[in-house]
Amino acid sequence: MGVSDGHAWWEDAVVYEVYPRSFADSDGDGVGDLNGLRGRLPYLADLGVDAIWLTPFYPSPLADGGYDVSDYCAVDPLLGTLADFDALVKEAAASGIRVIVDIVPNHCSAEHPLFQAALASSPGSPERDRFIFREGRGQDGSLPPSNWPSSFGGAAWTRVPDGQWYLHMFDTTQPDWNWDNPAIPALFADVIRFWLDRGVAGLRVDVASAMFKDPELPDNPPGQHPLAPSGYRHRAELQALYRSWRQILDSYPAGEFPGQRTAIGEVWYDVPGTLAPYLQPGGLPQLFNFQLMLVPWEAGPLRRAVDAAQDLAGGSRAPWVIGNHDVPRPATRYALGLAHQYESTLPRGPIDTDDARAGARRARAAALLQLALPGSAYIYQGEELGLPEVIDIPDEARQDPVFRRTGGRRLGRDGCRVPLPWRAGPSGPSWLPQPPDWGRYSVETESAEPESILILYRTALRVRREHPALGRGGAMRWLESPPDSLIFSREPGFVFAANLGQTAIPLPPHSGILLSSGPVTDGSLPPDTAVWLARG
Ligand code: GLC
């Protein structure tokens, strides 16, 4: 896994996404923190991950879960100190775990000193030019400068008292930087070096598709896909910026831990082809591959999703994901037969028990699918516990601006951000309420149950590390398979099979069972079950 074999560690890494406020709380204030995470490094080492990605832990008014950053080079006092961060990096390294941090370059918090300076300055000032301030349209300028929508609902423009409008592709409290102003690329080059100098192995680049804006602010044509190339998405200028970031990454020594530095872009897209420019050589080393989240638990769509991702880039450059902090939990998506759609809504009522059980079985099978595919995989905290989406959070406890900005039409993302249950007994306070029965998903409970999903994940990661066909291993090849199943091989000697239908199917030819997501007897594979097979 070093660079010594000509490959970078990240090409087949299993990376664990930590949402720090919801991971582990060391001081009992209901909010997870860096010291809580430090205390749980042994848990992550046992799980067997190669790296952790921390979503933002920087000072922030928390209007968008920390993606509203008011200081890019510090730690929010609620979560700890820079010294805690340094200790985290050092202790993680001692367990062979690398740390990836989130860079949020599209926007900052309205409380960032540079935005405060812009508000205090007059139209046309250099302070305002760091952001995107414009006059409005209409006779008195009372109409927004363009019809661009905020991704969180409502318009992407807010008017200030002197009559100008500023652009925010997300919440009003998240003004977009003006990347055409050379001060902004310079600022972020410094931010990136600041964290790389502290020993981080990589960057996750937030909203990596949206930084540059067409200065003409062209209106979106009616009916345009929200993730299609537009005046604010997938602009050509991005690629020169990413080449300059790659140079920064490559200026750090690859020969010693943590190895070659990576950056992984969050680029949501309308069609996979939109990703092509991002994949040119010399730019961002990696991009998330969201294909598996865009389809329901059905063999045909899943197979096409895998093929689309493989054709485009493969899993080393575009790691596989089945969930993250923005998307309903896999167990619940699979229970309800949902794909994550950009504008998806979830029911608020209870989920039928049989559906929930099927969702839980499918989440186990999906884990084996994800971890058998070639390349790298990202696991979002709680997937290894099989946590469901919490769909019945009371309105007054919801925090995601999406809920508020859409008048509750979209429930938002709080349901996948509820703090992890560590103990079987009642949990302490938590910033989003934990369902009373969550002890059954706790690390304490699942660690003691040989059949738990946690043990399945631990075993899968161990087998994956040891088996030469897995990770970067041999290419995958689809094998002939009964309807509603997925079967592929990888060399040397590995076969994956999953049954997504209603009736059992025969196991494909094999010489042994390495691991299965559920009981497998008499050579047949039951519905909602996946298996890793050896073929001699
Ligand atoms: C990304 C993050 C999401 C955040 C948004 C705005 O999509 O993953 O959580 O709300 O960017 O920063």
Side-chain angles (χ1 to χ4, degrees):
M1 288 250 304
V3 279
S4 49
D5 58 359
H7 289 281
W9 65 274
W10 45 262
E11 291 180 30
D12 62 0
V14 175
V15 183
Y16 184 92
E17 177 188 356
V18 174
Y19 196 78
R21 283 194 300 152
S22 302
F23 185 68
D25 176 12
S26 70
D27 56 10
D29 65 356
V31 181
D33 43 47
L34 295 185
N35 286 337
L37 172 55
R38 284 170 65 193
R40 296 294 179 176
L41 285 170
Y43 169 75
L44 297 170
D46 274 357
L47 186 58
V49 301
D50 301 297
I52 52 178
W53 149 36
L54 273 63
T55 65
F57 50 83
Y58 318 113
S60 163
L62 297 178
D64 178 24
Y67 282 96
D68 47 322
V69 180
S70 50
D71 180 349
Y72 287 90
C73 295
V75 173
D76 193 306
L78 203 57
L79 274 68
T81 64
L82 261 183
D84 297 335
F85 179 83
D86 291 340
L88 169 71
V89 172
K90 204 166 145 214
E91 290 162 11
S95 301
I97 296 177
R98 298 164 170 87
V99 176
I100 293 174
V101 298
D102 216 310
I103 297 292
V104 189
N106 180 67
H107 47 265
C108 59
S109 160
E111 290 188 17
H112 192 288
L114 292 181
F115 189 71
Q116 288 296 314
L119 287 180
S121 304
S122 44
S125 59
E127 286 82 1
R128 287 222 169 160
D129 189 52
R130 295 195 189 104
F131 297 88
I132 303 181
F133 279 87
R134 291 297 158 82
E135 302 304 324
R137 295 197 287 198
Q139 269 186 349
D140 52 1
S142 64
L143 297 174
S146 75
N147 69 356
W148 297 355
S150 151
S151 298
F152 288 171
W157 296 95
T158 290
R159 200 169 194 193
V160 299
D162 60 39
Q164 279 207 314
W165 298 74
Y166 69 88
L167 180 69
H168 52 86
M169 296 314 304
F170 293 91
D171 190 44
T172 312
T173 59
Q174 294 168 290
D176 280 36
W177 293 105
N178 172 15
W179 276 84
D180 290 327
N181 179 333
I184 306 309
L187 184 153
F188 277 92
D190 288 348
V191 170
I192 287 171
R193 286 200 184 88
F194 178 86
W195 293 106
L196 290 170
D197 286 349
R198 304 196 96 84
V200 310
L203 317 168
R204 179 265 189 185
V205 183
D206 187 60
V207 198
S209 62
M211 281 108 83
F212 289 92
K213 314 291 174 345
D214 183 337
E216 302 297 319
L217 310 178
D219 272 349
N220 286 342
Q224 164 156 299
H225 190 294
L227 301 171
S230 68
Y232 50 87
R233 223 180 264 288
H234 310 302
R235 310 272 313 154
E237 300 91 317
L238 287 166
Q239 305 314 328
L241 175 71
Y242 292 143
R243 284 194 292 277
S244 75
W245 287 10
R246 179 65 174 263
Q247 281 171 9
I248 299 178
L249 295 169
D250 289 349
S251 70
Y252 287 78
E256 59 205 55
F257 193 89
Q260 190 186 74
R261 308 314 191 259
T262 189
I264 178 160
E266 184 214 20
V267 180
W268 289 91
Y269 42 85
D270 49 348
V271 291
T274 299
L275 285 182
Y278 296 88
L279 291 163
Q280 288 159 12
L284 289 178
Q286 296 181 291
L287 294 170
F288 282 109
N289 155 17
F290 295 131
Q291 290 299 125
L292 295 180
M293 300 197 297
L294 301 177
V295 292
W297 184 249
E298 287 170 32
L302 273 168
R303 179 172 170 155
R304 286 192 289 278
V306 169
D307 286 344
Q310 289 280 90
D311 290 350
L312 201 65
S316 290
R317 289 211 66 195
W320 304 97
V321 247
I322 59 171
N324 66 28
H325 66 285
D326 292 327
V327 171
R329 292 274 189 192
T332 302
R333 293 202 319 270
Y334 298 145
L336 297 170
L338 289 176
H340 167 66
Q341 299 297 348
Y342 187 65
E343 294 286 331
S344 74
T345 53
L346 284 166
R348 288 165 162 239
I351 295 178
D352 176 83
T353 316
D354 286 342
D355 289 346
R357 287 205 184 108
R361 284 194 303 272
R362 293 168 188 162
R364 297 170 67 101
L368 292 198
L369 169 65
Q370 180 193 12
L371 296 170
L373 291 167
S376 164
Y378 274 61
I379 298 171
Y380 173 46
Q381 67 179 39
E383 278 167 16
E384 81 281 18
L385 302 174
L387 291 183
E389 182 82 0
V390 183
I391 53 179
D392 55 0
I393 299 175
D395 289 1
E396 57 287 1
R398 290 193 179 272
Q399 311 239 350
D400 187 352
V402 168
F403 181 73
R404 184 174 31 83
R405 288 183 66 91
T406 61
R409 190 175 53 79
R410 285 164 59 192
L411 282 187
R413 302 159 295 176
D414 294 314
C416 64
R417 299 175 177 178
V418 173
L420 291 196
W422 291 95
R423 286 195 309 269
S427 60
S430 69
W431 68 276
L432 280 172
Q434 245 181 27
D437 66 341
W438 261 28
R440 69 188 165 117
Y441 297 108
S442 66
V443 171
E444 185 183 359
T445 302
E446 294 200 15
S447 298
E449 280 174 9
E451 302 305 325
S452 70
I453 185 169
L454 175 58
I455 302 296
L456 178 73
Y457 264 92
R458 276 190 197 150
T459 313
L461 292 192
R462 183 175 46 72
V463 175
R464 188 183 191 278
R465 235 185 348 264
E466 289 166 1
H467 200 298
L470 294 177
R472 216 162 11 80
M476 63 174 285
R477 198 162 59 83
W478 292 110
L479 303 181
E480 210 177 312
S481 56
D484 299 326
S485 68
L486 295 171
I487 304 183
F488 61 81
S489 67
R490 298 189 63 192
E491 293 309 323
F494 176 88
V495 174
F496 171 88
N499 181 356
L500 297 90
Q502 307 283 329
T503 51
I505 57 168
L507 283 178
H510 61 280
S511 53
I513 295 180
L514 299 170
L515 186 60
S516 71
S517 70
V520 174
T521 44
D522 300 333
S524 80
L525 187 62
D528 294 332
T529 308
V531 67
W532 288 4
L533 300 170
R535 197 167 58 176

Short mmCIF file of all heavy atoms in Angstrom, two decimals, residues 120-160:
data_model
loop_
_atom_site.label_atom_id
_atom_site.label_comp_id
_atom_site.label_asym_id
_atom_site.label_seq_id
_atom_site.Cartn_x
_atom_site.Cartn_y
_atom_site.Cartn_z
N ALA A 120 -19.47 45.91 5.47
CA ALA A 120 -19.22 47.24 6.03
C ALA A 120 -18.68 48.20 4.96
O ALA A 120 -18.54 49.39 5.22
CB ALA A 120 -18.23 47.13 7.19
N SER A 121 -18.36 47.71 3.78
CA SER A 121 -17.77 48.56 2.74
C SER A 121 -18.82 48.89 1.68
O SER A 121 -19.90 48.31 1.64
CB SER A 121 -16.59 47.84 2.07
OG SER A 121 -15.65 47.45 3.06
N SER A 122 -18.46 49.83 0.81
CA SER A 122 -19.48 50.28 -0.14
C SER A 122 -19.44 49.45 -1.42
O SER A 122 -18.46 48.78 -1.73
CB SER A 122 -19.25 51.76 -0.45
OG SER A 122 -17.89 51.96 -0.64
N PRO A 123 -20.54 49.52 -2.18
CA PRO A 123 -20.57 48.84 -3.47
C PRO A 123 -19.37 49.24 -4.32
O PRO A 123 -18.96 50.41 -4.30
CB PRO A 123 -21.88 49.32 -4.10
CG PRO A 123 -22.75 49.67 -2.93
CD PRO A 123 -21.82 50.18 -1.87
N GLY A 124 -18.77 48.29 -5.01
CA GLY A 124 -17.61 48.59 -5.86
C GLY A 124 -16.29 48.55 -5.12
O GLY A 124 -15.23 48.67 -5.73
N SER A 125 -16.29 48.37 -3.80
CA SER A 125 -15.04 48.37 -3.03
C SER A 125 -14.29 47.06 -3.22
O SER A 125 -14.88 46.03 -3.57
CB SER A 125 -15.35 48.56 -1.54
OG SER A 125 -16.19 47.51 -1.10
N PRO A 126 -12.96 47.08 -2.99
CA PRO A 126 -12.20 45.82 -3.06
C PRO A 126 -12.72 44.78 -2.08
O PRO A 126 -12.65 43.59 -2.33
CB PRO A 126 -10.76 46.24 -2.70
CG PRO A 126 -10.71 47.72 -2.77
CD PRO A 126 -12.12 48.24 -2.70
N GLU A 127 -13.24 45.23 -0.93
CA GLU A 127 -13.76 44.27 0.05
C GLU A 127 -14.94 43.50 -0.54
O GLU A 127 -15.07 42.29 -0.35
CB GLU A 127 -14.21 44.99 1.33
CG GLU A 127 -13.07 45.49 2.20
CD GLU A 127 -12.49 46.83 1.72
OE1 GLU A 127 -13.02 47.37 0.70
OE2 GLU A 127 -11.53 47.31 2.34
N ARG A 128 -15.82 44.23 -1.26
CA ARG A 128 -16.99 43.54 -1.84
C ARG A 128 -16.58 42.62 -2.97
O ARG A 128 -17.22 41.61 -3.25
CB ARG A 128 -18.01 44.56 -2.33
CG ARG A 128 -18.73 45.19 -1.17
CD ARG A 128 -20.21 45.35 -1.37
NE ARG A 128 -20.79 45.73 -0.09
CZ ARG A 128 -21.96 46.30 0.07
NH1 ARG A 128 -22.71 46.56 -0.99
NH2 ARG A 128 -22.39 46.60 1.26
N ASP A 129 -15.46 42.95 -3.62
CA ASP A 129 -15.04 42.14 -4.78
C ASP A 129 -14.54 40.75 -4.38
O ASP A 129 -14.32 39.90 -5.23
CB ASP A 129 -13.96 42.90 -5.57
CG ASP A 129 -13.67 42.20 -6.89
OD1 ASP A 129 -14.65 41.93 -7.64
OD2 ASP A 129 -12.50 41.89 -7.16
N ARG A 130 -14.36 40.50 -3.10
CA ARG A 130 -13.99 39.14 -2.69
C ARG A 130 -15.20 38.20 -2.74
O ARG A 130 -15.07 36.99 -2.64
CB ARG A 130 -13.43 39.13 -1.28
CG ARG A 130 -12.12 39.88 -1.13
CD ARG A 130 -11.48 39.51 0.20
NE ARG A 130 -10.34 40.36 0.46
CZ ARG A 130 -10.33 41.38 1.33
NH1 ARG A 130 -11.40 41.65 2.04
NH2 ARG A 130 -9.23 42.09 1.50
N PHE A 131 -16.38 38.79 -2.84
CA PHE A 131 -17.62 38.00 -2.91
C PHE A 131 -18.35 38.41 -4.18
O PHE A 131 -17.80 39.15 -5.00
CB PHE A 131 -18.46 38.25 -1.64
CG PHE A 131 -17.73 37.79 -0.40
CD1 PHE A 131 -16.86 38.65 0.29
CD2 PHE A 131 -17.84 36.49 0.05
CE1 PHE A 131 -16.14 38.22 1.39
CE2 PHE A 131 -17.13 36.05 1.16
CZ PHE A 131 -16.28 36.91 1.83
N ILE A 132 -19.56 37.91 -4.37
CA ILE A 132 -20.26 38.22 -5.62
C ILE A 132 -21.45 39.13 -5.30
O ILE A 132 -22.57 38.66 -5.03
CB ILE A 132 -20.63 36.92 -6.36
CG1 ILE A 132 -19.33 36.14 -6.59
CG2 ILE A 132 -21.35 37.23 -7.67
CD1 ILE A 132 -19.47 34.83 -7.31
N PHE A 133 -21.15 40.42 -5.27
CA PHE A 133 -22.19 41.43 -5.03
C PHE A 133 -22.61 42.03 -6.37
O PHE A 133 -21.75 42.36 -7.20
CB PHE A 133 -21.64 42.56 -4.14
CG PHE A 133 -21.63 42.23 -2.67
CD1 PHE A 133 -20.55 41.57 -2.09
CD2 PHE A 133 -22.71 42.58 -1.86
CE1 PHE A 133 -20.54 41.27 -0.73
CE2 PHE A 133 -22.70 42.29 -0.50
CZ PHE A 133 -21.61 41.64 0.07
N ARG A 134 -23.89 42.21 -6.59
CA ARG A 134 -24.38 42.80 -7.83
C ARG A 134 -25.60 43.67 -7.55
O ARG A 134 -26.27 43.50 -6.53
CB ARG A 134 -24.82 41.71 -8.83
CG ARG A 134 -23.71 40.90 -9.40
CD ARG A 134 -22.75 41.74 -10.23
NE ARG A 134 -21.47 41.06 -10.32
CZ ARG A 134 -21.20 40.09 -11.18
NH1 ARG A 134 -22.11 39.73 -12.04
NH2 ARG A 134 -20.03 39.52 -11.19
N GLU A 135 -25.88 44.57 -8.54
CA GLU A 135 -27.14 45.31 -8.48
C GLU A 135 -28.26 44.34 -8.88
O GLU A 135 -28.03 43.41 -9.66
CB GLU A 135 -27.13 46.50 -9.45
CG GLU A 135 -26.01 47.50 -9.21
CD GLU A 135 -26.00 48.05 -7.77
OE1 GLU A 135 -27.10 48.25 -7.21
OE2 GLU A 135 -24.90 48.25 -7.21
N GLY A 136 -29.46 44.62 -8.39
CA GLY A 136 -30.60 43.77 -8.76
C GLY A 136 -31.17 44.16 -10.11
O GLY A 136 -30.71 45.11 -10.76
N ARG A 137 -32.15 43.40 -10.54
CA ARG A 137 -32.83 43.72 -11.79
C ARG A 137 -34.14 44.43 -11.47
O ARG A 137 -34.52 44.59 -10.32
CB ARG A 137 -33.08 42.42 -12.56
CG ARG A 137 -31.77 41.76 -12.98
CD ARG A 137 -31.96 40.74 -14.07
NE ARG A 137 -32.59 39.52 -13.56
CZ ARG A 137 -32.55 38.34 -14.20
NH1 ARG A 137 -31.92 38.24 -15.36
NH2 ARG A 137 -33.15 37.28 -13.70
N GLY A 138 -34.82 44.83 -12.51
CA GLY A 138 -36.09 45.55 -12.32
C GLY A 138 -35.81 47.02 -12.08
O GLY A 138 -34.66 47.42 -11.84
N GLN A 139 -36.87 47.80 -12.14
CA GLN A 139 -36.72 49.27 -12.07
C GLN A 139 -35.93 49.74 -10.85
O GLN A 139 -35.02 50.55 -10.95
CB GLN A 139 -38.11 49.89 -12.03
CG GLN A 139 -38.61 50.22 -13.41
CD GLN A 139 -39.93 50.96 -13.35
OE1 GLN A 139 -40.56 51.05 -12.31
NE2 GLN A 139 -40.33 51.49 -14.49
N ASP A 140 -36.28 49.20 -9.70
CA ASP A 140 -35.61 49.64 -8.47
C ASP A 140 -34.61 48.61 -7.96
O ASP A 140 -34.23 48.65 -6.80
CB ASP A 140 -36.67 49.94 -7.40
CG ASP A 140 -37.63 48.77 -7.24
OD1 ASP A 140 -37.45 47.75 -7.95
OD2 ASP A 140 -38.54 48.84 -6.40
N GLY A 141 -34.20 47.71 -8.85
CA GLY A 141 -33.22 46.69 -8.44
C GLY A 141 -33.73 45.73 -7.40
O GLY A 141 -32.96 45.12 -6.68
N SER A 142 -35.04 45.58 -7.32
CA SER A 142 -35.60 44.75 -6.25
C SER A 142 -35.74 43.28 -6.65
O SER A 142 -36.22 42.48 -5.87
CB SER A 142 -36.95 45.29 -5.79
OG SER A 142 -37.86 45.20 -6.87
N LEU A 143 -35.31 42.97 -7.90
CA LEU A 143 -35.35 41.57 -8.31
C LEU A 143 -33.93 41.03 -8.31
O LEU A 143 -32.99 41.73 -8.66
CB LEU A 143 -35.93 41.45 -9.73
CG LEU A 143 -37.38 41.91 -9.89
CD1 LEU A 143 -37.78 41.89 -11.37
CD2 LEU A 143 -38.30 41.04 -9.06
N PRO A 144 -33.77 39.75 -7.91
CA PRO A 144 -32.40 39.20 -7.86
C PRO A 144 -31.70 39.28 -9.22
O PRO A 144 -32.35 39.26 -10.27
CB PRO A 144 -32.61 37.74 -7.46
CG PRO A 144 -34.04 37.57 -7.15
CD PRO A 144 -34.80 38.79 -7.52
N PRO A 145 -30.37 39.38 -9.21
CA PRO A 145 -29.60 39.54 -10.45
C PRO A 145 -29.73 38.39 -11.44
O PRO A 145 -29.43 38.56 -12.63
CB PRO A 145 -28.15 39.67 -9.96
CG PRO A 145 -28.26 40.10 -8.54
CD PRO A 145 -29.53 39.52 -8.01
N SER A 146 -30.10 37.19 -10.99
CA SER A 146 -30.30 36.07 -11.92
C SER A 146 -31.35 35.15 -11.29
O SER A 146 -31.72 35.34 -10.13
CB SER A 146 -29.00 35.29 -12.15
OG SER A 146 -28.71 34.51 -11.00
N ASN A 147 -31.76 34.15 -12.05
CA ASN A 147 -32.78 33.23 -11.51
C ASN A 147 -32.16 32.03 -10.82
O ASN A 147 -32.81 31.02 -10.61
CB ASN A 147 -33.74 32.77 -12.62
CG ASN A 147 -33.06 31.84 -13.64
OD1 ASN A 147 -31.85 31.59 -13.55
ND2 ASN A 147 -33.82 31.33 -14.60
N TRP A 148 -30.88 32.12 -10.44
CA TRP A 148 -30.20 30.96 -9.88
C TRP A 148 -30.83 30.56 -8.54
O TRP A 148 -31.05 31.40 -7.66
CB TRP A 148 -28.71 31.25 -9.68
CG TRP A 148 -27.99 31.52 -10.97
CD1 TRP A 148 -28.50 31.44 -12.24
CD2 TRP A 148 -26.63 31.93 -11.10
NE1 TRP A 148 -27.54 31.77 -13.17
CE2 TRP A 148 -26.37 32.07 -12.49
CE3 TRP A 148 -25.60 32.19 -10.20
CZ2 TRP A 148 -25.12 32.46 -12.98
CZ3 TRP A 148 -24.36 32.58 -10.69
CH2 TRP A 148 -24.13 32.70 -12.06
N PRO A 149 -31.08 29.23 -8.39
CA PRO A 149 -31.66 28.76 -7.13
C PRO A 149 -30.58 28.37 -6.12
O PRO A 149 -29.49 27.95 -6.49
CB PRO A 149 -32.43 27.50 -7.57
CG PRO A 149 -31.63 26.97 -8.73
CD PRO A 149 -30.96 28.16 -9.40
N SER A 150 -30.88 28.49 -4.84
CA SER A 150 -30.01 27.91 -3.81
C SER A 150 -30.24 26.40 -3.78
O SER A 150 -31.38 25.95 -3.92
CB SER A 150 -30.36 28.51 -2.45
OG SER A 150 -30.05 27.58 -1.43
N SER A 151 -29.17 25.63 -3.59
CA SER A 151 -29.32 24.17 -3.50
C SER A 151 -30.18 23.78 -2.31
O SER A 151 -30.65 22.65 -2.23
CB SER A 151 -27.97 23.48 -3.30
OG SER A 151 -27.15 23.73 -4.39
N PHE A 152 -30.34 24.68 -1.35
CA PHE A 152 -31.12 24.37 -0.15
C PHE A 152 -32.56 24.88 -0.26
O PHE A 152 -33.29 24.87 0.72
CB PHE A 152 -30.48 25.04 1.08
CG PHE A 152 -29.19 24.39 1.53
CD1 PHE A 152 -28.41 25.02 2.52
CD2 PHE A 152 -28.76 23.18 1.03
CE1 PHE A 152 -27.23 24.44 2.96
CE2 PHE A 152 -27.57 22.59 1.47
CZ PHE A 152 -26.81 23.23 2.44
N GLY A 153 -32.97 25.37 -1.44
CA GLY A 153 -34.31 25.92 -1.61
C GLY A 153 -34.28 27.43 -1.60
O GLY A 153 -33.39 28.05 -1.01
N GLY A 154 -35.23 28.05 -2.31
CA GLY A 154 -35.30 29.51 -2.39
C GLY A 154 -34.27 30.05 -3.36
O GLY A 154 -33.60 29.30 -4.09
N ALA A 155 -34.13 31.38 -3.39
CA ALA A 155 -33.21 32.03 -4.33
C ALA A 155 -31.79 31.99 -3.80
O ALA A 155 -31.57 31.88 -2.59
CB ALA A 155 -33.64 33.47 -4.57
N ALA A 156 -30.83 32.09 -4.72
CA ALA A 156 -29.41 32.10 -4.33
C ALA A 156 -28.91 33.52 -4.04
O ALA A 156 -27.70 33.73 -3.95
CB ALA A 156 -28.57 31.44 -5.43
N TRP A 157 -29.80 34.48 -3.94
CA TRP A 157 -29.39 35.87 -3.74
C TRP A 157 -30.07 36.44 -2.50
O TRP A 157 -31.25 36.17 -2.27
CB TRP A 157 -29.78 36.72 -4.94
CG TRP A 157 -29.09 36.35 -6.22
CD1 TRP A 157 -29.57 35.51 -7.18
CD2 TRP A 157 -27.81 36.81 -6.67
NE1 TRP A 157 -28.67 35.43 -8.22
CE2 TRP A 157 -27.57 36.21 -7.93
CE3 TRP A 157 -26.84 37.67 -6.13
CZ2 TRP A 157 -26.41 36.44 -8.66
CZ3 TRP A 157 -25.69 37.90 -6.87
CH2 TRP A 157 -25.48 37.29 -8.12
N THR A 158 -29.34 37.26 -1.75
CA THR A 158 -29.92 37.99 -0.62
C THR A 158 -29.53 39.46 -0.76
O THR A 158 -28.40 39.79 -1.15
CB THR A 158 -29.41 37.41 0.72
OG1 THR A 158 -29.99 36.10 0.89
CG2 THR A 158 -29.81 38.28 1.91
N ARG A 159 -30.49 40.33 -0.46
CA ARG A 159 -30.25 41.77 -0.64
C ARG A 159 -29.74 42.38 0.66
O ARG A 159 -30.19 42.00 1.75
CB ARG A 159 -31.56 42.45 -1.04
CG ARG A 159 -31.33 43.79 -1.68
CD ARG A 159 -32.60 44.34 -2.30
NE ARG A 159 -32.27 45.45 -3.18
CZ ARG A 159 -33.16 46.28 -3.67
NH1 ARG A 159 -34.46 46.12 -3.40
NH2 ARG A 159 -32.78 47.26 -4.46
N VAL A 160 -28.79 43.31 0.54
CA VAL A 160 -28.27 44.00 1.73
C VAL A 160 -28.87 45.41 1.79
O VAL A 160 -29.43 45.89 0.79
CB VAL A 160 -26.72 44.01 1.76
CG1 VAL A 160 -26.17 42.58 1.78
CG2 VAL A 160 -26.13 44.77 0.58
#
